[in-house]
Amino acid sequence: MPLIQDIERFLSSWKDACKETFTNHAIAELFKVDIGGRVKTFVHTKHPDFIVKASVGAGNWANVPWISMLNPRITTSTKDGVYPVYLFKADGSGFYLSLNQGTTNPKDKYGKVVSEKRSEVIVQHIRNEIPELIDWENVDYVQLNASTSLGKSYEKPNIAAKFYAFDNLPEEEELFNDLTELLYYYKRVETLSILDSIDTKLSEVNDSKQLGFNTNNVDEPDNVGLSVNFTPDIFIYKPFLLLAGISGTGKTRFVRKQAEATGSLADTYCLSSVRPDWHEPSDLLGYISRLNGTPQFVVTDVLFFIVKAWREIFSAKVKFEVSKNGQLEVIGDNKDLGLIRPYWLCLDEMNLAPVEQYFADYLSILETRSWSWRGGSFSYSSDPLLKSSTISQLGEDSTLREDLGLQGSTYDMAWEMFEQYGIGIPFNLIVAGTVNMDETTHGFSRKVIDRAISFDFGAFFPNSFDEFFSPTIQNKALSYPLQAQVSQLDLESTCDRNGEKSIVFLKAINESLESTPFELAYRALNELLLAVVCAQPQDDKSLIAMWDDFMMCKVLPRIEGDSDKLTTAGGEEILIKLKAVLQSQFASILNRSDSNLIQRPDLYREKIITDSNSEKTLNIPCRSISKLEWMQQRLVSATFTSFWP
């Protein structure tokens, strides 16, 4: 029987066969003997020394059947090394021909986090050295619909792949032509020393943070895992922070320290004091002046700093392309991000002026940020803050280029791009506004709050007088987001693999807010799931910690009003309902005798460790339940409440 017919028979029978006894099953024999045997015979006509293995399981059905082809000069085991493999989807809907990696041995040796970074370095290096693979593959990523961790482990290490759908199987000649081409590329992997060099480097590395993303000259051991310019502990899910608290708690100092931890005060930090007379975006982003008859653009410190962040991106040698909709796109790899530091813009006393007025343009453009990932490569774009049409009004005598620090041939391409497509928000820019909520300041609308991560500074970064001279706790280093829209694939390395737990949680919260102005929508769900991706929780306790922080940063800041506004039509008090929901959702870590004794890991701070064997994790009580209790007490005593201190 022709090979394609055997494959068609196998795919059509696979799901039913998995429900039956494994031992001596005809479908297992079909796969190993007939299909695997044909592939083995073909491979050995070209590479007699290659080891060809076919598996549908050992004792029990595998979740993802496979046929591997191992070059013994590279690897003799599917648990490590690089090799071509046919991967059959768990639901029988098709199969891939993939150049892939074994991950079992590296994970056992280095741990999950380091082995995943190792895998990313290998993917990018092989793609750089054999660029024909990019044109050869016909899929962006491998999606096996697997339900086991072993089955899913084949997806991310994929280097290049082609997919064959069950309802559109190729002719046998096409199938073997594709295999011949991939085997040719696979032989070229022999000449690359990436596996030996990266493992040599890793054997010398004690701290996993030293494993960066730079794969330039990766054949040389000294360059494998090249230390990056900064080592963030956590990526935030939105590049706009509101730091709210009483005066003198260290909000501005916090931003300075973040800039020091991830860059330098001289290069990556800008303090701009908001003035009470700011009422339009030009106060922040500049404007055209015609006082001297010739139009000239007045550049603010903020706009200059935004372009300075762009200069950092240009210095990383990323590529720039124009998208189908006419936007300027940044194209790069993980290794490029390792060299691009966060730029921290601190808007001090941000609400001395109406934020909705002077910050309106930035808030709108913030929502146009777009990230797209393909393996370890990314593209990023945003709408322009300073439009090309504005730049074109200035004429040839304009000093705008020099005023923005883009003079010299180094920035010829950058300036040409900005002239044609405008200046958008650089992805490495983080805006942090310090906020004092008193009678001299303006409040925030939900438009502002929905676009920010709001920190009750006293709750997240409390002042401890006892630790003034000898601190035992330190803040984690934060960095810019790497995504704007979440996908299910992004969640697979967390304990909430498809987002279902977080969706159930947010639905429960939304039921308490139904028919109120505080109800949540898609933006909130997307940012909740992005928060999961950034926090990377590996157990329910860490996931609940992230939910707790999300309530504090995104949900509770939206809630304010008097007793009438905070009571439903049925007479239920919103704050009390929310507290009951949280107690139910957090039940697995709840000490039922005292909700304040809930212990969860702090995601933004850690212990200062002098003993390498000690635990850095700082456990703290639940924040959001305590905040709800405080808001409820304030409502009872003053008949009005809000999140803000």
Side-chain angles (χ1 to χ4, degrees), residues 300-312:
T300 63
D301 290 343
V302 169
L303 182 61
F304 182 86
F305 187 71
I306 289 173
V307 173
K308 191 177 181 182
W310 272 115
R311 296 207 305 265
E312 175 102 353

Side-chain angles (χ1 to χ4, degrees), residues 523-558:
R523 180 190 286 134
L525 175 58
N526 181 59
E527 292 185 7
L528 173 64
L529 297 176
L530 283 176
V532 176
V533 174
C534 290
Q536 288 290 299
Q538 300 300 310
D539 53 45
D540 285 347
K541 193 172 185 178
S542 298
L543 181 63
I544 288 173
M546 193 281 307
W547 290 347
D548 184 29
D549 287 349
F550 187 82
M551 290 295 297
M552 288 287 288
C553 294
K554 299 295 296 183
V555 180
L556 299 187
R558 308 171 78 252

Side-chain angles (χ1 to χ4, degrees), residues 449 548 550-560 575 578 582 623-625 627-628 631 642-644:
I449 294 170
D548 184 29
F550 187 82
M551 290 295 297
M552 288 287 288
C553 294
K554 299 295 296 183
V555 180
L556 299 187
R558 308 171 78 252
I559 299 175
E560 66 174 10
L575 299 180
L578 275 177
L582 293 182
R623 292 188 176 114
S624 57
I625 291 180
K627 188 68 175 184
L628 278 169
M631 292 172 68
S642 74
F643 168 86
W644 308 100

Side-chain angles (χ1 to χ4, degrees), residues 78-302:
T78 57
K79 295 181 178 181
D80 203 349
V82 175
Y83 52 87
V85 60
Y86 284 114
L87 297 169
F88 288 73
K89 296 186 71 167
D91 59 3
S93 60
F95 66 102
Y96 293 89
L97 174 59
S98 167
L99 184 59
N100 215 293
Q101 303 174 58
T103 60
T104 302
N105 289 347
K107 184 177 179 181
D108 291 343
K109 185 174 182 180
Y110 304 120
K112 182 175 183 293
V113 173
V114 174
S115 65
E116 285 181 355
K117 290 184 178 180
R118 172 188 183 273
S119 176
E120 290 175 6
V121 171
I122 292 170
V123 168
Q124 286 311 305
H125 183 69
I126 292 178
R127 287 181 175 181
N128 290 340
E129 293 298 317
I130 311 177
E132 297 94 330
L133 285 170
I134 304 299
D135 296 326
W136 176 83
E137 65 178 345
N138 70 353
V139 292
D140 291 335
Y141 53 85
V142 169
Q143 176 64 41
L144 296 170
N145 295 338
S147 59
T148 65
S149 58
L150 180 60
K152 293 175 181 178
S153 70
Y154 298 113
E155 296 178 345
K156 288 186 177 180
N158 172 64
I159 300 163
K162 284 195 173 183
F163 179 63
Y164 308 100
F166 172 65
D167 56 3
N168 188 29
L169 292 174
E171 296 294 329
E172 187 168 316
E173 182 180 1
E174 179 185 346
L175 188 70
F176 282 142
N177 284 343
D178 289 341
L179 179 56
T180 299
E181 192 172 359
L182 185 59
L183 291 172
Y184 166 73
Y185 297 136
Y186 181 44
K187 283 290 289 183
R188 290 170 59 181
V189 175
E190 262 186 56
T191 64
L192 309 179
S193 60
I194 175 64
L195 296 176
D196 291 339
S197 59
I198 194 172
D199 287 330
T200 299
K201 183 65 177 179
L202 280 173
S203 67
E204 303 167 358
V205 173
N206 296 318
D207 183 351
S208 64
K209 285 184 182 178
Q210 293 181 45
L211 181 62
F213 297 92
N214 194 336
T215 60
N216 291 332
N217 304 319
V218 75
D219 285 337
E220 312 225 355
D222 287 344
N223 289 318
V224 180
L226 185 67
S227 294
V228 298
N229 291 346
F230 68 99
T231 53
D233 296 303
I234 187 170
F235 291 89
I236 55 177
Y237 54 93
K238 202 79 182 260
F240 175 32
L241 312 180
L242 293 177
L243 308 177
I246 62 176
S247 181
T249 52
K251 299 183 291 296
T252 305
R253 184 174 181 272
F254 171 84
V255 184
R256 289 173 59 88
K257 288 298 183 181
Q258 285 294 326
E260 287 179 353
T262 58
S264 73
L265 287 179
D267 294 333
T268 62
Y269 174 73
C270 176
L271 175 66
S272 182
S273 299
V274 174
R275 293 168 51 95
D277 60 351
W278 285 9
H279 290 287
E280 58 177 337
S282 62
D283 295 317
L284 188 76
L285 300 172
Y287 56 93
I288 294 177
S289 171
R290 292 181 171 84
L291 289 178
N292 297 325
T294 302
Q296 290 291 337
F297 197 91
V298 178
V299 174
T300 63
D301 290 343
V302 169

Side-chain angles (χ1 to χ4, degrees), residues 374-393:
R374 180 183 178 185
S377 301
F378 71 88
S379 65
Y380 167 84
S381 66
S382 88
D383 285 357
L385 286 166
L386 183 62
K387 293 183 172 64
S388 59
S389 58
T390 301
I391 298 174
S392 65
Q393 293 179 41

Side-chain angles (χ1 to χ4, degrees), residues 94 124 137 209 235 242 244 250 255 259 331 340 342 353 411 421 473 487 495 531 533 541 551 567 583 594:
Q124 286 311 305
E137 65 178 345
K209 285 184 182 178
F235 291 89
L242 293 177
V255 184
I331 310 295
I340 300 173
Y411 297 112
Y421 304 104
I473 297 170
S487 71
C495 64
V533 174
K541 193 172 185 178
M551 290 295 297
T567 303
Q583 288 175 326
D594 186 349

Side-chain angles (χ1 to χ4, degrees), residues 398-580:
S398 169
T399 61
L400 179 59
R401 177 174 178 177
E402 289 74 20
D403 293 342
L404 292 175
L406 295 171
Q407 64 270 28
S409 59
T410 302
Y411 297 112
D412 283 347
M413 185 187 73
W415 180 245
E416 182 181 340
M417 292 290 187
F418 288 154
E419 278 190 308
Q420 292 186 53
Y421 304 104
I423 302 175
I425 297 177
F427 60 74
N428 59 332
L429 180 69
I430 301 174
V431 178
T434 66
V435 176
N436 293 323
M437 300 297 289
D438 56 40
E439 65 279 357
T440 68
T441 60
H442 296 266
F444 291 113
S445 69
R446 280 189 288 278
K447 173 185 177 180
V448 177
I449 294 170
D450 284 352
R451 288 163 170 78
I453 303 176
S454 300
F455 288 102
D456 179 344
F457 200 79
F460 278 85
F461 309 102
N463 289 173
S464 175
F465 291 176
D466 293 334
E467 297 199 359
F468 187 76
F469 293 110
S470 301
T472 61
I473 297 170
Q474 63 187 0
N475 300 328
K476 293 184 178 181
L478 310 180
S479 190
Y480 47 82
L482 300 180
Q483 289 162 296
Q485 185 70 35
V486 75
S487 71
Q488 282 192 326
L489 283 176
D490 301 324
L491 296 160
E492 290 204 340
S493 59
T494 74
C495 64
D496 193 6
R497 295 187 183 281
N498 54 13
E500 285 185 1
K501 295 178 182 178
S502 295
I503 290 172
V504 169
F505 171 75
L506 200 64
K507 285 171 68 177
I509 297 299
N510 231 16
E511 287 175 6
S512 298
L513 302 174
E514 190 175 2
S515 301
T516 74
F518 316 118
E519 200 166 353
L520 303 168
Y522 274 152
R523 180 190 286 134
L525 175 58
N526 181 59
E527 292 185 7
L528 173 64
L529 297 176
L530 283 176
V532 176
V533 174
C534 290
Q536 288 290 299
Q538 300 300 310
D539 53 45
D540 285 347
K541 193 172 185 178
S542 298
L543 181 63
I544 288 173
M546 193 281 307
W547 290 347
D548 184 29
D549 287 349
F550 187 82
M551 290 295 297
M552 288 287 288
C553 294
K554 299 295 296 183
V555 180
L556 299 187
R558 308 171 78 252
I559 299 175
E560 66 174 10
D562 57 18
S563 300
D564 290 338
K565 191 174 182 180
L566 296 177
T567 303
T568 67
E572 296 178 287
E573 296 184 50
I574 292 174
L575 299 180
I576 293 177
K577 286 182 65 179
L578 275 177
K579 180 181 175 182

